[in-house]
Amino acid sequence: MKAVTWQGRRKVSVDEVPDPRIEEPTDAIIAVTSSGVCGSDLHLYEVLGPYMSAGDVLGHEPIGVVVDVGSEVRSLAVGDRVVVPFQIACGHCVMCDTGLPTQCETTQVREYGSGAALFGYSKLYGQVPGAQAQYLRVPHADFTHIPIPAGPDDSRFLYLSDVLPTAWQAVEYAGVPDGGSVVVLGLGPIGDMACRIAAHRGYRVIGVDRVPERLRRVADRGIEVVDLEQIGASIGDVIRDRTDGRAPTA
Ligand SMILES: [Zn+2]
Ligand SMILES: [Zn+2]
């Protein structure tokens, strides 16, 4: 199959690599139909390079169709359409039971003291082949998938893998009180989605950035924005000004 591979600092390429196959009875293989590129992938591009090996397959935001399942997989069948989340989690350990699958005790990489294994994300997270590829092996497949219906375009569901839950969690952890307001610093894909979620939940939302295209995209949805370049202020000034001097909640 073809896959995007890491080849060195600031160097990736599309290469021919072996097709994945079932290795454990709890695995599934999916044919990837779309795959996101993440801001986190940039860390691999440079900063986390020491933890990468030439040939590592990148990517952790796929959607696809199941083409093979291991003998112990119960909830998936060939032909099912799924989004695969970025983390690999067993679904039956203490951390998974607590609702913290990114700390799954079964897959966490103790050698580096990191959390659950992630697809395509360096030795720190298990060096699991990633999803910017034609096929993906999904370990612990019964739990590590989100079922989606056939029909609507991939773009309708792709963000379920990382962008939507990551942004939702950011808003949730901000602990905004009912009727409260929230400042979102940085309007890249996650900040943009966090603005949408916070607005959806009825909060007053103030998006802050200095990139005109990002500000325009968020403002076009009716969200209040602050352009740091226009006001010549620091982010700290903005928070104090917009929260009437009260400490922000996050
Ligand atoms: Zn991501
Ligand atoms: Zn677990």
Side-chain angles (χ1 to χ4, degrees):
M1 69 169 180
K2 288 196 183 331
V4 176
T5 66
W6 186 94
Q7 294 297 335
R9 185 172 173 268
R10 294 192 167 221
K11 189 167 189 295
V12 298
S13 58
V14 176
D15 292 319
E16 197 67 37
V17 302
D19 286 2
R21 54 182 182 78
I22 300 289
E23 295 177 16
E24 301 289 339
T26 47
D27 290 351
I29 305 291
I30 68 163
V32 177
T33 52
S34 294
S35 203
V37 177
C38 188
S40 299
D41 289 328
L42 293 175
H43 305 321
L44 307 177
Y45 202 52
E46 185 156 346
V47 180
L48 293 183
Y51 299 102
M52 299 294 287
S53 301
D56 281 354
V57 178
L58 302 175
H60 59 260
E61 302 185 4
I63 180 171
V65 177
V66 176
V67 293
D68 199 2
V69 292
S71 58
E72 291 180 16
V73 174
R74 297 283 173 263
S75 60
L76 281 174
V78 170
D80 286 351
R81 190 180 187 205
V82 292
V83 165
V84 177
F86 59 88
Q87 82 278 3
I88 301 164
C90 74
H92 51 69
C93 69
V94 169
M95 298 311 263
C96 286
D97 284 345
T98 313
L100 298 169
T102 55
Q103 302 301 320
C104 174
E105 292 197 316
T106 305
T107 73
Q108 65 181 233
V109 184
R110 291 178 173 79
E111 184 183 355
Y112 289 102
S114 50
L118 310 180
F119 290 100
Y121 214 75
S122 85
K123 296 185 182 77
L124 295 176
Y125 292 94
Q127 203 169 26
V128 182
Q132 287 162 15
Q134 289 179 297
Y135 295 95
L136 176 72
R137 172 181 164 250
V138 182
H140 300 285
D142 266 328
F143 189 70
T144 306
H145 77 271
I146 301 161
I148 54 168
D153 190 75
D154 278 4
S155 60
R156 182 83 180 79
F157 304 108
L158 189 62
Y159 292 156
L160 282 172
S161 178
D162 187 347
V163 177
L164 178 56
T166 299
W168 184 281
Q169 186 183 28
V171 174
E172 181 70 24
Y173 285 6
V176 188
D178 285 345
S181 59
V182 60
V183 176
V184 178
L185 304 176
L187 303 177
I190 301 298
D192 186 343
M193 186 64 84
C195 286
R196 295 176 72 173
I197 290 163
H200 171 76
R201 291 173 67 162
Y203 307 134
R204 178 187 173 197
V205 187
I206 302 149
V208 182
D209 206 304
R210 61 194 340 143
V211 178
E213 294 80 6
R214 291 176 168 191
L215 290 160
R216 198 175 315 121
R217 187 173 59 189
V218 169
D220 283 349
R221 294 202 188 92
I223 299 214
E224 198 177 331
V225 295
V226 173
D227 181 352
L228 288 177
E229 296 294 341
Q230 291 289 324
I231 62 174
S234 72
I235 282 173
D237 293 336
V238 172
I239 295 173
R240 273 189 294 278
D241 183 47
R242 299 287 165 144
T243 58
D244 303 325
R246 284 176 285 121
T249 52

